[in-house]
Amino acid sequence: MAEQQSGPDLDAAFFIRWLIACAAAVERDAAHLTDLDAAIGDADHGSNLQRGFRAVAEVLTKEVPATPGAVLTLAGRQLISTVGGASGPLYGTLLRRTGKALGDAAGTDRAGLADALGAGVAAVAQLGGAKAGDKTMLDALEPAVEALSTGYAEAARAASEGAEATTPLQARKGRASYLGERSVGHQDPGATSAALLVTTLAETAEAGA
Amino acid sequence: MAEQQSGPDLDAAFFIRWLIACAAAVERDAAHLTDLDAAIGDADHGSNLQRGFRAVAEVLTKEVPATPGAVLTLAGRQLISTVGGASGPLYGTLLRRTGKALGDAAGTDRAGLADALGAGVAAVAQLGGAKAGDKTMLDALEPAVEALSTGYAEAARAASEGAEATTPLQARKGRASYLGERSVGHQDPGATSAALLVTTLAETAEAGA
Amino acid sequence: MKMLINVPETVVADALRGMAAAHPDLSVDVDNRVVVRRDAPVAGKVGLVSGGGSGHEPLHGGFVGPGMLSAACPGEVFTSPVPDQMVRAAAAVDSGAGVLFIVKNYTGDVLNFDMAAELAEDEGIQVAKVLVNDDVAVTDSLFTAGRRGTGATLFVEKLAGAAAEEGMPLERVEAIGRQVNESSRSFGVALTAVSTPSKGSPTFDLPEGELELGIGIHGEPGRERRAMMTSREIADFAVAAVLDDLRPSRPVIALVNGMGATPLLELYGFNAEVQRVLGERGISVARTLVGNYVTSLDMAGCSVSLCEVDEDLLRLWDAPVETPALRWGR
Amino acid sequence: MKMLINVPETVVADALRGMAAAHPDLSVDVDNRVVVRRDAPVAGKVGLVSGGGSGHEPLHGGFVGPGMLSAACPGEVFTSPVPDQMVRAAAAVDSGAGVLFIVKNYTGDVLNFDMAAELAEDEGIQVAKVLVNDDVAVTDSLFTAGRRGTGATLFVEKLAGAAAEEGMPLERVEAIGRQVNESSRSFGVALTAVSTPSKGSPTFDLPEGELELGIGIHGEPGRERRAMMTSREIADFAVAAVLDDLRPSRPVIALVNGMGATPLLELYGFNAEVQRVLGERGISVARTLVGNYVTSLDMAGCSVSLCEVDEDLLRLWDAPVETPALRWGR
Ligand SMILES: Nc1ncnc2c1ncn2[C@@H]1O[C@H](COP(=O)(O)OP(=O)(O)O)[C@@H](O)[C@H]1O
Ligand SMILES: Nc1ncnc2c1ncn2[C@@H]1O[C@H](COP(=O)(O)OP(=O)(O)O)[C@@H](O)[C@H]1O
Ligand SMILES: [Mg+2]
Ligand SMILES: [Mg+2]
Ligand SMILES: [Mg+2]
Ligand SMILES: [Mg+2]
């Protein structure tokens, strides 16, 4: 594994690479995400993100924003306009608010990204009214933000562990909450996709290093 | 097997016994008749006859007509009023016209019944416009009438053979005709129920002998 | 197959009680199984009576009301009603102007309505009959039972119903009914087999990757089984089958009908394909109706019916209708 | 599971093209996924906009027209539409009198409509919102997403729609929508699981001898699985669940709704049982609607919705409505 530094190495191109890699990862895992959603939701999470990240990848081949902040806000707007469902506004807000927090700097570093992502995750929590332990994407995102100050790989591991830890939980937010106790024993689809995006971030960072 | 005589042994009570035995036989074979109808028709022949013969059995516990002719016309009217479908008017007409042909005599014998049944079967042929070989109840009824001049057991055997002989035929009348060539290879439900009624006639005659 | 029923024996009676509760504009005789518009007989108006096996809802009971049927006779599931019902219905709706029986061409329906016509005439009711036989999937010949009556029944009931409502005499109403039938053709496709309450399981086996072309509305298998097709391919096939037989030179009314279990979302999508084919063939579509109108219990699938219309028929189509399942105009 | 479609990706767009062809009274923007009544904006009238995932047809597009919705925004199957659609719909129907968003209580719908409301207000459109959350199967608490919006959506759209058509101002229309929601409760039952086009197979496994009680309209499993029940038992259970929560002291409007694949014959029979239970409980039923109105694609099953009404609401219910799926009055 490449040694991780927190230098100012993350430019607009890095975030574009990351989002395009996310689109590929979502494409690959869409059926799995939909199956997870079928168990405790409405069987659309995979196709929702597929639609959204295809649109993100497409817009990024046409427009090439100059700053990380602009890349992320554009991608976030795109998710909001194409995904729908719960995950559209939530992931859209995550990227938009992270992007806004990055401002119009030409680049950032891991520490800066961790801060900005923290703002994005906080916005998700505020928008959806959920908190850690409610069996949502936050169960992957919050530990990931915290671990990102240590390193990319740590963030990916924390997100994956957070996603897996949703299995024994009873859902308190989102569609799975309708199931009450029957939501126990299934991994949350949104937490799973969140872990996928963070893992892809780590892979992108590692490949670029 | 009891020796068959063509003496004047068939009174109203005989026909009542026969029809009640028919009701029991239909009850027993209803699912089979419906399954045959499912293959080349609309899966209701068994329940149609069940409904009809239950009504016949019921009316015969309330009204006890004095003559064979009156028993059969009452039963025929009852079938017409309760069965519906193709088999209701056809079997209803069979019994009514057979009954009418018997007139108001207090009894009849096998030869008299064979004649009257011949009139009934002719009325069925006229009403439905079918003829032997069209894969209908006529394929059992016509040989049965002919064999009845020889004996009850012969009539039953002829009816059953006639029913079985419908299997390789392509239907030209009734619902099975919609299937064209796909009707080949299935035994006709109406011919099967006709054989059942004739077999029950033979059993009733034998039991009474 | 699971059903929302009590026992198979009471399915039709239960449904009639439920209809009565839902539609105060109808007078429903549950014991005798006759559904009559409440204001019947309407003075001077020809009565329209139809009926057939149950399981095709909303046909026929859902089409009783001003502008369409005067009465309907529901039989057992997929079984023609009995003459007693039809005679009772005729008596209930006859104002002296006579009664038209609209009969789908099935041996059972034909025989029972024929018997009923004789009995009604004995009671002094003037009766005319229109036979509906629109299904091009069935080879019509002297040596078969002929074509089945399917989707075009709706056309005949609506257009003859409007004619009767306008006060036309029996011969005219009958002639219009006949004209509508002759101007109409249908073709149906099944994606799944139907389960009747009395059988309780599918009447035939239709595996996942296959469909039946040329099915009727009684769970009979179709004329041909093929590998599953797309909506586009099904529309191409069904419309071609209808047009090969109808060859309309005037505009048509299109009924894109669901067999019961196909979601409306899919039916609308299928309609887009039907309209595409009709456009490619240069057929002008005057009106379109999409929905579950002539169904086959829980069967998934669809049928396409076309009725070639002149201005008179189009006016009758647009005339007000006020029934549980078809309502428009004012 | 076989479907009458081309490819899953185009299901919604295909259906919108088919709707456009069938309903010339609607203006259907297929690319932007907005269904608008043709005469919108109607001067001085409050606009009513609803929407949600597709797969519940005729909800919502089938309820667009005079006396009901001004516009509908169909999302992907079972997925809330996006804010862009709602903003476009609001702009198309706003006459200056403001727009009411009718939102079923799902996280996705709520978030997207909230975003849309903000954006529409930025464009100078006055927006009010009514949340529909009638499903008593879901425990309502601060720590859950709350009750789902299901059958009562029809009540809210019809009654608020009639209020808007009468020319009531936005606050009144909103207040009526809220009152209707508070006066309504629903409970649903599934006999089979649903298959979405993108998944292509049932979203959960529901074996032959069992049913799910307390299901929603998105193929979610219910709250409880039981051995198969009769129509009578299901009615007892569902009506009790609704009445335990609603406890009406006035007459109710009853919606006996099919989930999509349950034959109308069975639904009418089920209605008879629902009316029986209501009678036994001493509830007076002012109006009854039986049919497939708020569906879940190819799911077999039903739901019962009750709305307690006063004279004003009953008048609004009887007021004319002219949409593809609901039409009456003159
Ligand atoms: N209030 C919420 N806060 C955070 N995340 C949520 C919330 N509600 C739902 N989610 C996440 O969204 C995921 C579902 O997304 P998706 O299936 O695309 O949308 P929908 O539930 O509308 O079908 C859930 O698995 C969960 O992780
Ligand atoms: N035209 C006809 N003449 C004689 N028998 C006929 C005719 N049409 C149908 N049948 C008989 O009726 C049987 C079907 O009866 P049934 O299933 O009760 O009525 P339906 O076809 O109306 O459902 C067929 O198997 C056939 O034997
Ligand atoms: Mg989902
Ligand atoms: Mg049959
Ligand atoms: Mg039949
Ligand atoms: Mg969804």
Side-chain angles (χ1 to χ4, degrees):
Chain A
M1 191 178 294
E3 188 149 305
Q4 293 186 356
Q5 301 234 340
S6 192
D9 50 352
L10 308 176
D11 56 5
F14 171 85
F15 286 97
I16 292 176
R17 280 203 306 283
W18 172 46
L19 290 167
I20 294 202
C22 285
V26 162
E27 209 70 52
R28 189 191 63 214
D29 287 5
H32 174 57
L33 294 172
T34 289
D35 285 348
L36 290 177
D37 198 27
I40 54 171
D42 59 351
D44 64 358
H45 189 56
S47 46
N48 284 349
L49 293 190
Q50 219 170 5
R51 189 169 58 252
F53 277 93
R54 279 183 192 171
V56 166
E58 198 194 317
V59 76
L60 289 175
T61 64
K62 291 185 196 149
E63 273 178 65
V64 184
T67 64
V71 170
L72 292 178
T73 46
L74 175 65
R77 273 209 313 277
Q78 198 70 1
L79 290 182
I80 290 172
S81 290
T82 58
V83 175
S87 58
L90 291 168
Y91 276 127
T93 297
L94 176 69
L95 297 191
R96 275 187 72 227
R97 291 303 190 85
T98 303
K100 283 203 174 174
L102 289 174
D104 47 16
T108 184
D109 58 9
R110 179 159 52 73
L113 176 58
D115 280 355
L117 205 59
V121 172
V124 168
Q126 209 215 346
L127 181 65
K131 51 184 193 341
D134 284 353
K135 194 171 183 132
T136 70
M137 56 175 69
L138 286 174
D139 290 323
L141 291 175
E142 288 190 350
V145 168
E146 192 160 322
L148 188 57
S149 22
T150 314
Y152 291 109
E154 287 75 1
R157 194 173 321 117
S160 299
E161 285 170 7
E164 280 159 32
T166 60
T167 302
L169 299 178
Q170 175 167 338
R172 281 191 297 250
K173 286 290 166 189
R175 207 173 277 288
S177 72
Y178 305 142
L179 288 184
E181 288 175 6
R182 288 177 82 180
S183 64
V184 170
H186 301 274
Q187 185 167 320
D188 179 61
T192 309
S193 60
L196 184 68
L197 303 188
V198 177
T199 302
T200 308
L201 176 70
E203 287 165 3
T204 308
E206 196 177 320
Chain B
M1 191 177 292
E3 190 147 302
Q4 291 186 358
Q5 300 235 341
S6 191
D9 50 352
L10 308 176
D11 56 4
F14 171 85
F15 286 98
I16 292 176
R17 281 203 306 284
W18 172 47
L19 290 167
I20 294 201
C22 286
V26 162
E27 208 71 51
R28 191 192 61 215
D29 287 5
H32 175 58
L33 295 173
T34 289
D35 284 348
L36 290 177
D37 198 26
I40 55 171
D42 59 350
D44 63 358
H45 189 56
S47 47
N48 285 349
L49 294 190
Q50 217 171 7
R51 189 169 59 251
F53 277 94
R54 278 182 192 171
V56 166
E58 198 194 315
V59 77
L60 289 174
T61 64
K62 292 185 194 146
E63 274 178 64
V64 184
T67 64
V71 170
L72 293 179
T73 46
L74 175 65
R77 274 209 312 279
Q78 199 69 0
L79 290 182
I80 290 172
S81 290
T82 57
V83 175
S87 58
L90 291 168
Y91 275 128
T93 296
L94 176 71
L95 296 190
R96 277 186 73 227
R97 291 302 191 84
T98 303
K100 283 202 173 173
L102 289 174
D104 46 16
T108 185
D109 58 9
R110 180 159 51 75
L113 177 58
D115 280 354
L117 207 58
V121 171
V124 168
Q126 209 215 346
L127 182 65
K131 49 184 194 342
D134 284 352
K135 195 174 184 127
T136 71
M137 56 175 67
L138 287 174
D139 289 324
L141 291 174
E142 288 189 351
V145 167
E146 192 160 324
L148 188 57
S149 22
T150 313
Y152 291 110
E154 287 76 1
R157 197 173 319 116
S160 298
E161 286 171 5
E164 280 160 29
T166 61
T167 302
L169 299 178
Q170 175 168 337
R172 280 190 298 249
K173 287 289 165 189
R175 207 174 277 288
S177 73
Y178 305 141
L179 288 184
E181 288 175 6
R182 288 177 82 181
S183 65
V184 170
H186 301 272
Q187 185 166 321
D188 179 61
T192 309
S193 61
L196 184 69
L197 303 187
V198 178
T199 301
T200 307
L201 176 70
E203 287 166 3
T204 309
E206 195 177 322
Chain C
M1 196 57 84
K2 286 172 281 187
M3 293 172 191
L4 183 59
I5 64 173
N6 289 317
V7 290
E9 289 73 20
T10 63
V11 162
V12 176
D14 290 347
L16 288 176
R17 288 189 294 123
M19 268 204 101
H23 304 294
D25 288 354
L26 301 179
S27 136
V28 179
D29 182 340
V30 178
D31 289 337
N32 295 302
R33 302 195 170 194
V34 184
V35 179
V36 184
R37 58 184 269 192
R38 191 163 283 295
D39 59 356
V42 177
K45 182 186 158 303
V46 168
L48 259 72
V49 173
S50 191
S54 293
H56 310 301
E57 289 65 28
L59 185 82
H60 300 269
F63 298 145
V64 174
M68 216 160 162
L69 293 180
S70 313
C73 308
E76 278 299 321
V77 171
F78 291 173
T79 302
S80 159
V82 299
D84 312 51
Q85 292 168 270
M86 300 152 185
V87 173
R88 194 176 289 266
V93 307
D94 184 32
S95 66
V99 173
L100 181 69
F101 283 173
I102 298 175
V103 185
K104 303 198 295 305
N105 186 38
Y106 300 97
T107 306
D109 296 67
V110 170
L111 295 180
N112 285 285
F113 269 104
D114 278 355
M115 290 192 164
E118 267 185 51
L119 294 167
E121 275 160 359
D122 287 354
E123 294 187 17
I125 301 171
Q126 198 190 345
V127 177
K129 280 176 287 186
V130 170
L131 206 63
V132 184
N133 61 348
D134 54 314
D135 184 356
V136 299
V138 170
T139 324
D140 194 9
S141 94
L142 279 179
F143 306 106
T144 67
R147 288 180 164 173
R148 296 176 286 223
T150 59
T153 315
L154 183 149
F155 295 142
V156 175
E157 295 181 358
K158 171 66 181 85
L159 298 169
E165 207 71 40
E166 284 189 357
M168 293 189 195
L170 184 56
E171 311 77 60
R172 277 294 292 145
V173 177
E174 178 191 358
I176 285 173
R178 243 180 258 286
Q179 180 196 350
V180 172
N181 178 59
E182 278 156 21
S183 311
S184 301
R185 300 289 189 283
S186 299
F187 189 87
V189 173
L191 306 193
T192 64
V194 66
S195 298
T196 60
S198 66
K199 186 160 160 65
S201 59
T203 54
F204 58 93
D205 188 53
L206 186 44
E208 189 52 26
E210 293 174 17
L211 86 177
E212 287 270 336
L213 295 168
I215 48 101
I217 55 176
H218 296 90
E220 319 92 308
R223 292 293 294 216
E224 195 186 338
R225 180 167 294 193
R226 289 223 186 158
M228 187 56 197
M229 294 157 72
T230 62
S231 167
R232 182 183 185 88
E233 290 163 345
I234 294 172
D236 283 330
F237 195 97
V239 175
V242 168
L243 290 182
D244 283 355
D245 210 276
L246 186 63
R247 308 188 181 281
S249 56
R250 281 184 294 218
V252 298
I253 301 175
L255 167 62
V256 174
N257 176 62
M259 300 309 299
T262 287
L264 195 49
L265 184 72
E266 296 178 20
L267 272 187
Y268 273 122
F270 180 61
N271 179 46
E273 297 297 343
V274 169
Q275 303 284 333
R276 174 190 54 77
V277 194
L278 289 170
E280 286 167 7
R281 297 261 197 152
I283 312 288
S284 136
V285 184
R287 301 288 183 274
T288 299
L289 198 59
V290 179
N292 292 295
Y293 291 105
V294 180
T295 63
S296 187
L297 289 174
D298 66 342
M299 180 180 266
C302 58
S303 64
V304 177
S305 301
L306 299 180
C307 175
E308 182 178 11
V309 290
D310 56 20
E311 288 195 356
D312 283 340
L313 291 185
L314 201 54
R315 177 180 51 78
L316 293 172
W317 180 258
D318 289 337
V321 58
E322 205 178 323
T323 71
L326 221 56
R327 284 181 180 253
W328 60 66
R330 40 194 70 211
Chain D
M1 197 55 88
K2 286 173 280 186
M3 294 172 190
L4 183 59
I5 63 173
N6 289 318
V7 290
E9 288 72 20
T10 63
V11 162
V12 176
D14 290 347
L16 287 176
R17 287 188 295 124
M19 269 205 99
H23 305 294
D25 288 354
L26 300 179
S27 136
V28 179
D29 182 340
V30 177
D31 289 336
N32 295 302
R33 304 197 168 190
V34 184
V35 178
V36 184
R37 58 184 270 192
R38 192 163 283 294
D39 58 357
V42 177
K45 183 185 157 304
V46 167
L48 258 71
V49 173
S50 192
S54 292
H56 310 301
E57 289 66 28
L59 184 84
H60 300 267
F63 297 145
V64 174
M68 215 160 163
L69 293 180
S70 313
C73 308
E76 278 300 320
V77 171
F78 291 173
T79 302
S80 159
V82 298
D84 312 50
Q85 291 169 270
M86 301 153 186
V87 173
R88 196 177 289 264
V93 306
D94 184 34
S95 68
V99 173
L100 182 69
F101 284 173
I102 298 174
V103 185
K104 303 199 293 305
N105 186 37
Y106 299 98
T107 305
D109 295 68
V110 170
L111 295 181
N112 284 284
F113 269 105
D114 278 355
M115 288 190 166
E118 266 185 53
L119 294 169
E121 276 161 357
D122 286 354
E123 293 187 14
I125 302 171
Q126 199 190 345
V127 177
K129 280 176 285 185
V130 170
L131 206 63
V132 185
N133 60 347
D134 54 315
D135 183 356
V136 299
V138 170
T139 324
D140 193 9
S141 93
L142 278 179
F143 306 105
T144 67
R147 288 181 162 171
R148 296 176 286 224
T150 60
T153 316
L154 183 150
F155 296 141
V156 175
E157 294 181 358
K158 171 67 180 85
L159 298 169
E165 207 71 39
E166 285 190 357
M168 291 189 197
L170 183 56
E171 311 77 58
R172 276 294 293 143
V173 177
E174 177 190 358
I176 285 173
R178 243 180 258 284
Q179 182 197 350
V180 172
N181 177 58
E182 277 156 21
S183 310
S184 302
R185 300 289 188 284
S186 300
F187 189 88
V189 173
L191 306 192
T192 64
V194 66
S195 297
T196 59
S198 66
K199 185 161 160 62
S201 60
T203 53
F204 58 92
D205 187 52
L206 186 45
E208 189 51 27
E210 294 174 14
L211 84 176
E212 287 270 338
L213 295 169
I215 49 100
I217 55 175
H218 295 90
E220 320 92 308
R223 291 293 291 217
E224 196 186 336
R225 181 168 293 193
R226 289 224 188 158
M228 187 58 197
M229 294 157 72
T230 63
S231 168
R232 181 181 186 88
E233 291 163 343
I234 294 172
D236 282 331
F237 195 96
V239 175
V242 168
L243 289 182
D244 283 355
D245 210 276
L246 186 63
R247 310 186 178 283
S249 56
R250 282 183 294 217
V252 299
I253 301 175
L255 168 62
V256 174
N257 176 61
M259 300 309 299
T262 287
L264 196 50
L265 184 72
E266 296 179 20
L267 271 188
Y268 273 122
F270 180 61
N271 181 45
E273 297 297 344
V274 169
Q275 304 284 332
R276 173 190 54 76
V277 194
L278 290 170
E280 287 167 6
R281 298 260 196 154
I283 312 289
S284 137
V285 184
R287 301 288 183 275
T288 299
L289 198 60
V290 178
N292 293 296
Y293 292 104
V294 180
T295 63
S296 187
L297 289 174
D298 66 343
M299 179 179 268
C302 58
S303 63
V304 177
S305 301
L306 301 180
C307 174
E308 182 177 11
V309 289
D310 56 19
E311 289 195 355
D312 282 340
L313 291 185
L314 201 55
R315 177 180 51 78
L316 292 173
W317 181 258
D318 289 337
V321 58
E322 206 179 321
T323 71
L326 221 57
R327 285 183 179 252
W328 60 67
R330 42 193 70 208

